[in-house]
Protein backbone atom coordinates (compact mmCIF):
# COMPACT_ATOMS: atom_id res chain seq x y z
CA UNK A 1 0.00 0.00 0.00
CA UNK A 2 1.09 3.64 -0.29
CA UNK A 3 1.46 3.91 3.42
CA UNK A 4 3.80 0.92 3.53
CA UNK A 5 5.74 2.36 0.66
CA UNK A 6 6.21 5.64 2.44
CA UNK A 7 7.35 3.84 5.58
CA UNK A 8 9.91 1.80 3.63
CA UNK A 9 11.08 4.91 1.79
CA UNK A 10 11.54 6.76 5.04
CA UNK A 11 13.42 3.85 6.47
CA UNK A 12 15.69 3.71 3.41
CA UNK A 13 16.30 7.43 3.66
CA UNK A 14 17.22 7.04 7.31
CA UNK A 15 19.62 4.19 6.51
CA UNK A 16 21.12 6.27 3.68
CA UNK A 17 21.52 9.29 5.95
CA UNK A 18 23.19 7.25 8.67
CA UNK A 19 25.42 5.59 6.10
CA UNK A 20 26.33 8.99 4.67
CA UNK A 21 27.10 10.38 8.15
CA UNK A 22 29.28 7.40 8.97
CA UNK A 23 31.04 7.60 5.59
CA UNK A 24 31.65 11.33 5.90
CA UNK A 25 32.95 10.89 9.46
CA UNK A 26 35.27 8.09 8.37
CA UNK A 27 36.55 10.03 5.39
CA UNK A 28 37.04 13.15 7.54
CA UNK A 29 38.96 11.14 10.14
CA UNK A 30 41.12 9.54 7.45
CA UNK A 31 41.76 12.95 5.88
CA UNK A 32 42.56 14.48 9.27
CA UNK A 33 45.03 11.70 10.12
CA UNK A 34 46.57 11.93 6.66
CA UNK A 35 46.87 15.75 6.86
CA UNK A 36 48.43 15.45 10.28
CA UNK A 37 50.96 12.87 9.13
CA UNK A 38 51.67 14.30 5.71
CA UNK A 39 51.38 18.08 6.23
CA UNK A 40 51.02 19.27 9.82
CA UNK A 41 53.81 17.30 11.50
CA UNK A 42 56.44 18.09 8.80
CA UNK A 43 55.41 21.74 8.93
CA UNK A 44 55.64 21.73 12.75
CA UNK A 45 59.07 20.10 12.51
CA UNK A 46 60.12 22.78 10.02
CA UNK A 47 58.75 25.56 12.24
CA UNK A 48 60.56 24.11 15.25
CA UNK A 49 63.79 23.90 13.24
CA UNK A 50 63.32 27.52 12.07
CA UNK A 51 62.90 28.63 15.68
CA UNK A 52 66.08 26.82 16.71
CA UNK A 53 67.98 28.39 13.80
CA UNK A 54 66.65 31.79 14.76
CA UNK A 55 68.01 31.21 18.29
CA UNK A 56 71.44 30.41 16.84
CA UNK A 57 71.42 26.61 16.77
CA UNK A 58 72.82 25.73 13.34
CA UNK A 59 73.24 22.04 14.10
CA UNK A 60 69.53 21.37 13.51
CA UNK A 61 68.47 18.99 10.74
CA UNK A 62 64.91 17.99 9.71
CA UNK A 63 64.38 14.39 8.54
CA UNK A 64 62.23 14.10 5.44
CA UNK A 65 60.35 10.85 4.74
CA UNK A 66 58.51 11.97 1.63
CA UNK A 67 59.48 13.22 -1.80
CA UNK A 68 56.61 15.63 -2.19
CA UNK A 69 56.77 19.44 -2.01
CA UNK A 70 57.15 19.40 1.76
CA UNK A 71 59.97 16.88 1.43
CA UNK A 72 61.70 19.11 -1.11
CA UNK A 73 61.12 22.11 1.16
CA UNK A 74 62.71 20.17 4.03
CA UNK A 75 65.71 19.22 1.90
CA UNK A 76 66.18 22.82 0.79
CA UNK A 77 65.88 23.99 4.40
CA UNK A 78 68.56 21.49 5.50
CA UNK A 79 70.84 22.62 2.65
CA UNK A 80 70.26 26.27 3.57
CA UNK A 81 71.08 25.63 7.26
CA UNK A 82 74.21 23.70 6.22
CA UNK A 83 75.36 26.58 4.01
CA UNK A 84 74.69 29.11 6.76
CA UNK A 85 76.61 26.94 9.24
CA UNK A 86 79.54 26.64 6.84
CA UNK A 87 79.64 30.39 6.23
CA UNK A 88 79.29 31.07 9.94
CA UNK A 89 82.16 28.70 10.73
CA UNK A 90 84.33 30.42 8.13
CA UNK A 91 83.44 33.82 9.53
CA UNK A 92 84.21 32.67 13.06
CA UNK A 93 87.53 31.30 11.85
CA UNK A 94 88.29 34.62 10.16
CA UNK A 95 87.24 36.51 13.28
CA UNK A 96 89.50 34.33 15.38
CA UNK A 97 92.38 35.05 13.02
CA UNK A 98 91.55 38.77 13.12
CA UNK A 99 91.45 38.69 16.93
CA UNK A 100 94.75 36.83 16.94
CA UNK A 101 96.33 39.31 14.51
CA UNK A 102 94.87 42.20 16.49
CA UNK A 103 96.32 40.85 19.72
CA UNK A 104 99.70 40.33 18.07
CA UNK A 105 99.54 43.81 16.56
CA UNK A 106 98.72 45.35 19.94
CA UNK A 107 101.59 43.46 21.50
CA UNK A 108 103.97 44.61 18.77
CA UNK A 109 102.72 48.19 19.12
CA UNK A 110 103.23 47.95 22.87
CA UNK A 111 106.79 46.72 22.36
CA UNK A 112 107.46 49.38 19.72
CA UNK A 113 106.03 52.08 21.98
CA UNK A 114 108.20 50.96 24.88
CA UNK A 115 111.22 50.90 22.58
CA UNK A 116 110.34 54.34 21.23
CA UNK A 117 109.95 55.70 24.76
CA UNK A 118 113.29 54.19 25.68
CA UNK A 119 114.91 55.73 22.61
CA UNK A 120 113.27 59.08 23.38
CA UNK A 121 114.58 58.94 26.93
CA UNK A 122 118.04 58.04 25.65
CA UNK A 123 117.84 60.88 23.12
CA UNK A 124 116.69 63.29 25.82
CA UNK A 125 119.54 62.19 28.08
CA UNK A 126 121.97 62.47 25.18
CA UNK A 127 120.69 65.97 24.36
CA UNK A 128 121.05 67.01 27.98
CA UNK A 129 124.54 65.54 28.13
CA UNK A 130 125.43 67.20 24.85
CA UNK A 131 124.07 70.49 26.07
CA UNK A 132 126.10 70.21 29.26
CA UNK A 133 129.18 69.41 27.17
CA UNK A 134 128.50 72.44 25.00
CA UNK A 135 128.20 74.63 28.07
CA UNK A 136 131.42 73.12 29.39
CA UNK A 137 132.99 73.85 26.02
CA UNK A 138 131.87 77.45 26.35
CA UNK A 139 133.37 77.54 29.83
CA UNK A 140 136.61 76.09 28.49
CA UNK A 141 136.65 78.73 25.76
CA UNK A 142 136.23 81.38 28.42
CA UNK A 143 139.12 79.85 30.29
CA UNK A 144 141.04 79.86 27.01
CA UNK A 145 140.32 83.58 26.73
CA UNK A 146 141.77 83.99 30.20
CA UNK A 147 144.77 82.00 29.00
CA UNK A 148 145.11 84.29 25.99
CA UNK A 149 145.01 87.26 28.32
CA UNK A 150 147.69 85.64 30.47
CA UNK A 151 149.74 84.91 27.36
CA UNK A 152 149.45 88.54 26.28
CA UNK A 153 150.56 89.72 29.71
CA UNK A 154 153.41 87.20 29.68
CA UNK A 155 154.49 88.37 26.25
CA UNK A 156 154.44 91.99 27.35
CA UNK A 157 156.52 91.13 30.41
CA UNK A 158 158.98 88.99 28.48
CA UNK A 159 160.68 91.85 26.63
CA UNK A 160 161.57 94.01 29.68
CA UNK A 161 162.64 90.93 31.63
CA UNK A 162 165.03 89.94 28.88
CA UNK A 163 166.43 93.46 28.94
CA UNK A 164 166.90 93.30 32.70
CA UNK A 165 168.61 89.93 32.34
CA UNK A 166 170.99 91.40 29.80
CA UNK A 167 171.91 94.27 32.07
CA UNK A 168 172.48 91.89 34.98
CA UNK A 169 174.81 89.87 32.78
CA UNK A 170 176.74 93.04 31.95
CA UNK A 171 177.01 93.84 35.66
CA UNK A 172 178.40 90.36 36.34
CA UNK A 173 181.08 90.99 33.71
CA UNK A 174 182.32 94.08 35.56
CA UNK A 175 185.74 93.40 37.15
CA UNK A 176 185.54 95.87 40.02
CA UNK A 177 182.52 94.26 41.73
CA UNK A 178 182.98 92.73 45.14
CA UNK A 179 182.23 89.06 45.77
CA UNK A 180 179.11 89.85 47.79
CA UNK A 181 177.71 92.04 45.02
CA UNK A 182 178.49 89.38 42.40
CA UNK A 183 176.75 86.76 44.51
CA UNK A 184 173.66 88.96 44.83
CA UNK A 185 173.68 89.67 41.09
CA UNK A 186 173.93 85.93 40.38
CA UNK A 187 170.95 85.29 42.65
CA UNK A 188 168.97 87.99 40.85
CA UNK A 189 170.00 86.54 37.50
CA UNK A 190 168.95 82.99 38.47
CA UNK A 191 165.59 84.12 39.77
CA UNK A 192 165.05 86.27 36.70
CA UNK A 193 165.80 83.28 34.45
CA UNK A 194 163.31 81.27 36.47
CA UNK A 195 160.63 83.93 35.86
CA UNK A 196 161.49 83.99 32.12
CA UNK A 197 161.17 80.18 31.94
CA UNK A 198 157.78 80.34 33.67
CA UNK A 199 156.60 82.99 31.22
CA UNK A 200 157.84 80.90 28.29
CA UNK A 201 155.95 77.91 29.69
CA UNK A 202 152.76 80.00 29.82
CA UNK A 203 153.30 81.07 26.22
CA UNK A 204 153.84 77.47 25.11
CA UNK A 205 150.69 76.19 26.83
CA UNK A 206 148.38 79.00 25.67
CA UNK A 207 149.11 78.90 21.95
CA UNK A 208 145.74 78.44 20.23
CA UNK A 209 145.28 75.25 18.20
CA UNK A 210 144.89 75.33 14.45
CA UNK A 211 141.29 75.99 13.41
CA UNK A 212 139.90 74.14 10.37
CA UNK A 213 137.65 76.14 8.05
CA UNK A 214 135.10 74.51 5.78
CA UNK A 215 131.75 75.22 4.15
CA UNK A 216 129.10 75.63 6.85
CA UNK A 217 125.32 75.69 6.41
CA UNK A 218 123.98 78.03 9.07
CA UNK A 219 120.39 76.72 8.93
CA UNK A 220 121.50 73.19 9.85
CA UNK A 221 123.92 74.54 12.45
CA UNK A 222 121.10 76.46 14.14
CA UNK A 223 118.83 73.39 14.01
CA UNK A 224 121.55 71.38 15.79
CA UNK A 225 121.90 74.08 18.45
CA UNK A 226 118.11 74.17 19.05
CA UNK A 227 118.25 70.42 19.68
CA UNK A 228 121.14 70.98 22.11
CA UNK A 229 119.26 73.59 24.16
CA UNK A 230 115.90 71.77 23.96
CA UNK A 231 115.97 70.75 27.67
CA UNK A 232 116.33 74.41 28.69
CA UNK A 233 113.59 75.43 26.25
CA UNK A 234 111.31 72.72 27.61
CA UNK A 235 111.95 73.65 31.26
CA UNK A 236 110.99 77.30 30.62
CA UNK A 237 108.20 76.38 28.16
CA UNK A 238 109.66 78.73 25.56
CA UNK A 239 108.38 79.09 22.01
CA UNK A 240 111.01 78.99 19.27
CA UNK A 241 110.00 80.78 16.06
CA UNK A 242 112.21 79.90 13.09
CA UNK A 243 112.27 82.00 9.93
CA UNK A 244 115.00 80.34 7.87
CA UNK A 245 115.69 81.35 4.28
CA UNK A 246 115.49 78.06 2.38
CA UNK A 247 118.17 78.79 -0.24
CA UNK A 248 120.60 80.28 2.25
CA UNK A 249 124.16 79.99 0.86
CA UNK A 250 126.88 78.29 2.85
CA UNK A 251 129.74 80.32 4.28
CA UNK A 252 133.39 79.44 4.70
CA UNK A 253 134.24 79.21 8.39
CA UNK A 254 134.83 77.06 11.45
CA UNK A 255 131.80 74.97 12.39
CA UNK A 256 132.86 74.64 16.04
CA UNK A 257 133.59 78.35 16.48
CA UNK A 258 130.36 79.44 14.78
CA UNK A 259 128.50 76.93 16.92
CA UNK A 260 130.06 78.60 19.96
CA UNK A 261 128.90 82.02 18.69
CA UNK A 262 125.23 81.09 18.20
CA UNK A 263 125.14 78.81 21.24
CA UNK A 264 126.24 81.76 23.40
CA UNK A 265 123.63 84.06 21.84
CA UNK A 266 120.77 81.54 22.10
CA UNK A 267 121.82 80.62 25.65
CA UNK A 268 121.75 84.31 26.60
CA UNK A 269 118.31 84.67 24.98
CA UNK A 270 117.02 81.70 27.01
CA UNK A 271 118.40 83.18 30.25
CA UNK A 272 116.84 86.57 29.46
CA UNK A 273 113.42 85.24 28.40
CA UNK A 274 110.55 84.97 30.87
CA UNK A 275 108.59 81.77 31.46
CA UNK A 276 106.65 80.87 28.26
CA UNK A 277 108.57 83.55 26.38
CA UNK A 278 109.25 83.70 22.64
CA UNK A 279 112.64 83.47 20.91
CA UNK A 280 112.82 84.24 17.18
CA UNK A 281 115.71 83.01 15.02
CA UNK A 282 115.90 84.52 11.52
CA UNK A 283 118.35 83.81 8.70
CA UNK A 284 118.53 85.79 5.47
CA UNK A 285 120.83 87.18 2.82
CA UNK A 286 121.43 90.94 2.92
CA UNK A 287 123.15 93.41 0.63
CA UNK A 288 126.85 94.21 1.15
CA UNK A 289 127.35 95.87 4.49
CA UNK A 290 129.09 99.30 4.46
CA UNK A 291 129.85 99.61 8.17
CA UNK A 292 133.49 100.45 8.93
CA UNK A 293 133.78 97.48 11.29
CA UNK A 294 133.71 95.07 8.36
CA UNK A 295 137.20 93.64 7.89
CA UNK A 296 136.65 91.76 4.64
CA UNK A 297 137.69 93.43 1.40
CA UNK A 298 134.80 94.75 -0.65
CA UNK A 299 136.15 93.02 -3.76
CA UNK A 300 135.68 89.65 -2.05
CA UNK A 301 132.22 90.31 -0.67
CA UNK A 302 129.08 89.31 -2.53
CA UNK A 303 126.74 90.14 0.32
CA UNK A 304 126.21 88.80 3.80
CA UNK A 305 124.34 86.06 5.57
CA UNK A 306 122.61 87.53 8.60
CA UNK A 307 121.44 85.57 11.62
CA UNK A 308 119.20 87.46 14.06
CA UNK A 309 118.24 86.13 17.49
CA UNK A 310 115.40 88.01 19.17
CA UNK A 311 113.93 87.56 22.64
CA UNK A 312 111.17 89.30 24.60
CA UNK A 313 113.11 89.38 27.86
CA UNK A 314 114.02 92.21 30.20
CA UNK A 315 116.40 93.84 27.72
CA UNK A 316 119.64 95.71 28.38
CA UNK A 317 119.92 99.22 29.77
CA UNK A 318 121.79 101.85 27.69
CA UNK A 319 124.52 102.04 30.36
CA UNK A 320 125.21 98.31 30.14
CA UNK A 321 124.73 98.09 26.38
CA UNK A 322 128.00 99.85 25.61
CA UNK A 323 130.00 97.45 27.80
CA UNK A 324 128.51 94.03 27.02
CA UNK A 325 131.32 93.04 24.62
CA UNK A 326 134.03 93.88 27.12
CA UNK A 327 135.84 90.89 28.71
CA UNK A 328 134.69 89.98 32.24
CA UNK A 329 131.73 92.39 32.06
CA UNK A 330 128.46 90.69 32.96
CA UNK A 331 125.02 91.66 34.23
CA UNK A 332 124.25 88.12 35.45
CA UNK A 333 124.32 87.09 39.09
CA UNK A 334 127.56 85.77 40.55
CA UNK A 335 128.08 82.16 39.58
CA UNK A 336 125.94 82.46 36.42
CA UNK A 337 128.43 84.06 34.07
CA UNK A 338 132.06 85.06 33.67
CA UNK A 339 131.55 88.01 31.32
CA UNK A 340 133.60 86.39 28.55
CA UNK A 341 130.83 84.88 26.41
CA UNK A 342 130.02 87.94 24.28
CA UNK A 343 133.67 88.98 24.18
CA UNK A 344 134.61 85.58 22.73
CA UNK A 345 131.60 85.73 20.41
CA UNK A 346 132.67 89.09 19.02
CA UNK A 347 136.25 87.89 18.60
CA UNK A 348 135.13 84.80 16.65
CA UNK A 349 132.82 86.88 14.45
CA UNK A 350 135.64 89.32 13.67
CA UNK A 351 137.90 86.34 12.96
CA UNK A 352 135.37 85.38 10.28
CA UNK A 353 135.41 88.98 8.95
CA UNK A 354 131.89 89.50 10.21
CA UNK A 355 129.97 91.98 12.35
CA UNK A 356 127.83 91.49 15.46
CA UNK A 357 125.31 94.16 16.47
CA UNK A 358 122.70 94.46 19.20
CA UNK A 359 119.46 96.38 19.61
CA UNK A 360 117.96 96.43 23.08
CA UNK A 361 116.20 98.46 25.70
CA UNK A 362 114.80 97.92 29.15
CA UNK A 363 111.66 95.75 29.03
CA UNK A 364 111.86 95.69 25.21
CA UNK A 365 113.84 92.52 24.66
CA UNK A 366 117.03 92.21 22.65
CA UNK A 367 118.00 91.48 19.05
CA UNK A 368 121.52 90.21 18.38
CA UNK A 369 122.43 90.14 14.68
CA UNK A 370 125.49 88.49 13.19
CA UNK A 371 126.49 89.30 9.61
CA UNK A 372 128.99 86.95 7.98
CA UNK A 373 130.42 87.78 4.53
CA UNK A 374 129.93 85.70 1.40
CA UNK A 375 132.60 85.38 -1.21
CA UNK A 376 131.50 86.09 -4.76
CA UNK A 377 131.78 82.43 -5.70
CA UNK A 378 129.72 81.39 -2.65
CA UNK A 379 126.45 83.16 -3.41
CA UNK A 380 123.67 80.83 -4.49
Amino acid sequence: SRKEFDRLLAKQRQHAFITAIISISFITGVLAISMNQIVLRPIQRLLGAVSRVREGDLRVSVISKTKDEIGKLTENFNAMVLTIKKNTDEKESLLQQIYSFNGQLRYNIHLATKELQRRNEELRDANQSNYKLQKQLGHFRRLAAVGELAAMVAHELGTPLHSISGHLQLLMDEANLSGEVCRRVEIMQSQLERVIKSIQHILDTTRPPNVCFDWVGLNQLLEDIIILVFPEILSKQLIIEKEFQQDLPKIFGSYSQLQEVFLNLIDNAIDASPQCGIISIITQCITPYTDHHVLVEASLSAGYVQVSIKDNGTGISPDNLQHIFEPFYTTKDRGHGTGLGLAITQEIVHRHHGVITVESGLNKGSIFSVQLPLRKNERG
Side-chain angles (χ1 to χ4, degrees), residues 7-23:
R7 185 183 65 79
L8 290 174
L9 182 61
K11 186 177 182 179
Q12 288 295 328
R13 285 179 179 175
Q14 185 178 8
H15 287 167
F17 180 76
I18 293 171
T19 302
I21 292 297
I22 293 172
S23 298

Side-chain angles (χ1 to χ4, degrees), residues 6 29 52 79 90 106 135 138 142 155 166 176 204 225 243 245 264 276 285 300 317 347 357 368:
D6 290 337
R52 291 174 61 185
E90 291 178 354
R106 288 183 178 179
K135 297 199 77 171
R142 295 180 180 91
H155 182 269
N176 57 352
D204 292 338
I225 292 176
E243 299 179 20
Q245 182 175 322
N264 281 337
C276 302
C285 285
L300 298 178
S317 66
E347 179 186 353
T357 59
F368 282 84

Side-chain angles (χ1 to χ4, degrees), residues 234-277:
L234 189 62
S235 65
K236 296 189 72 172
Q237 299 179 354
L238 301 177
I239 299 175
I240 302 296
E241 295 181 346
K242 297 182 291 186
E243 299 179 20
F244 292 172
Q245 182 175 322
Q246 296 301 318
D247 57 345
L248 193 71
K250 293 183 178 181
I251 65 167
F252 193 72
S254 169
Y255 183 92
S256 60
Q257 290 191 350
L258 291 175
Q259 187 183 50
E260 176 68 15
V261 167
F262 297 114
L263 182 61
N264 281 337
L265 296 179
I266 294 176
D267 198 25
N268 287 343
I270 291 174
D271 291 340
S273 297
Q275 194 76 11
C276 302

Side-chain angles (χ1 to χ4, degrees), residues 102-118:
N102 189 27
Q104 184 66 30
L105 181 61
R106 288 183 178 179
Y107 179 71
N108 292 336
I109 292 175
H110 176 68
L111 293 180
T113 303
K114 289 184 64 177
E115 180 66 17
L116 184 61
Q117 290 176 349
R118 186 181 66 82

Side-chain angles (χ1 to χ4, degrees), residues 172 179 181-192:
M172 292 175 63
V181 173
C182 287
R183 189 179 69 81
R184 291 179 180 273
V185 172
E186 288 177 355
I187 293 174
M188 293 171 63
Q189 179 68 16
S190 63
Q191 295 300 314
L192 189 60

Side-chain angles (χ1 to χ4, degrees), residues 58 82-100:
L58 298 178
L82 184 62
T83 303
I84 294 174
K85 185 176 183 302
K86 182 179 178 181
N87 292 335
T88 303
D89 293 341
E90 291 178 354
K91 290 180 180 178
E92 289 181 354
S93 177
L94 290 175
L95 286 175
Q96 290 296 329
Q97 293 180 4
I98 292 173
Y99 290 151
S100 177

